[in-house]
Amino acid sequence: NEISHSISFRTAWKLLHETLDLELLGLYNFTTEEIFLRPKVSYHIADALTATVGWERYSGPTDTLYGRVDSYFTAFYAELKSSF
């Protein structure tokens, strides 16, 4: 059994009178050298309509979980959300 040491962070900024949101979520595992990053940009088009684009990146040595799934789960995405 091995103890795992990792650090995670999430930073966010609201710009342009809170219509533009920038966010970066990340994780680094010192023990297994795995990395996860998720930058995201959201724009509030109207009061109930938001457009978002982002990217998820998994990375690590080939014998780790993130190393095995990086080619399957690493992806760009876009979202248009309507709230009511």
Side-chain angles (χ1 to χ4, degrees):
N1 295 330
E2 187 174 339
I3 296 173
S4 179
H5 296 91
S6 61
I7 187 169
S8 65
F9 61 90
R10 180 186 170 271
T11 57
W13 298 275
K14 291 188 176 284
L15 305 167
L16 301 176
H17 302 286
E18 297 190 1
T19 58
L20 181 65
D21 297 334
L22 305 176
E23 182 180 317
L24 177 61
L25 173 68
L27 176 126
Y28 180 72
N29 189 317
F30 296 101
T31 306
T32 61
E33 298 178 356
E34 293 173 294
I35 299 170
F36 169 73
L37 290 174
R38 187 180 70 187
K40 179 170 80 168
V41 177
S42 299
Y43 183 71
H44 301 275
I45 300 167
D47 286 339
L49 189 62
T50 305
T52 302
V53 293
W55 176 56
E56 289 190 357
R57 173 72 172 135
Y58 297 84
S59 180
T62 56
D63 61 337
T64 62
L65 176 64
Y66 287 1
R68 291 182 187 140
V69 302
D70 67 351
S71 61
Y72 300 107
F73 292 131
T74 296
F76 288 96
Y77 63 91
E79 171 184 78
L80 185 61
K81 181 172 76 172
S82 177
S83 305
F84 53 93

